[in-house]
Amino acid sequence: MSADQPSDTIDEKSELTPEALAVINRARRSFGISIFILLIGFMAVAGALVYRLNQKSSDDRYQAQSVSLPQGATIVSVVAQNGLITLTYKLDATTTIRVVNATSGEVVRDISVVAEVPAN
């Protein structure tokens, strides 16, 4: 024995068999892979939360309290999508599509639906 090392110090690596070292290395690898998958899961959840917090709620997009139509108009259909309300209505023999800003209630555009004339 040398004077530098106490007699009770044991080198643990020299006492392990190659099979035990292989098991330990396999366990370390499995643990590393598990931690990697766990971190990816946490990042996915955090990304979903940030995405969800940055989205406008439907309450913010559709605040219009009323939409104006001509007197005597009959509503055929209404669609609310992408911050717009699209109304199709009939007034007498005329069909019109009205596009309204869903936040302010202002008319964006009126589109008349006319009969197509066949080409000869």
Side-chain angles (χ1 to χ4, degrees), residues 11-38:
D11 187 11
E12 294 179 13
K13 294 278 186 190
S14 64
E15 290 187 8
L16 295 177
T17 63
E19 293 84 16
L21 288 174
V23 169
I24 290 172
N25 287 336
R26 195 175 327 133
R28 285 183 182 161
R29 221 173 311 127
S30 295
F31 180 74
I33 291 170
S34 299
I35 293 298
F36 180 71
I37 291 171
L38 181 70

Side-chain angles (χ1 to χ4, degrees), residues 4-82:
D4 297 339
Q5 291 183 343
S7 61
D8 59 340
T9 304
I10 300 172
D11 187 11
E12 294 179 13
K13 294 278 186 190
S14 64
E15 290 187 8
L16 295 177
T17 63
E19 293 84 16
L21 288 174
V23 169
I24 290 172
N25 287 336
R26 195 175 327 133
R28 285 183 182 161
R29 221 173 311 127
S30 295
F31 180 74
I33 291 170
S34 299
I35 293 298
F36 180 71
I37 291 171
L38 181 70
L39 289 176
I40 288 175
F42 280 138
M43 290 181 357
V45 169
L49 287 173
V50 168
Y51 173 78
R52 187 74 176 140
L53 289 174
N54 287 330
Q55 297 298 310
K56 285 187 173 182
S57 70
S58 61
D59 296 339
D60 294 341
R61 289 185 282 183
Y62 301 103
Q63 293 180 353
Q65 298 298 315
S66 63
V67 176
S68 62
L69 290 176
Q71 185 78 24
T74 304
I75 296 175
V76 176
S77 71
V78 178
V79 176
Q81 184 177 7
N82 297 330

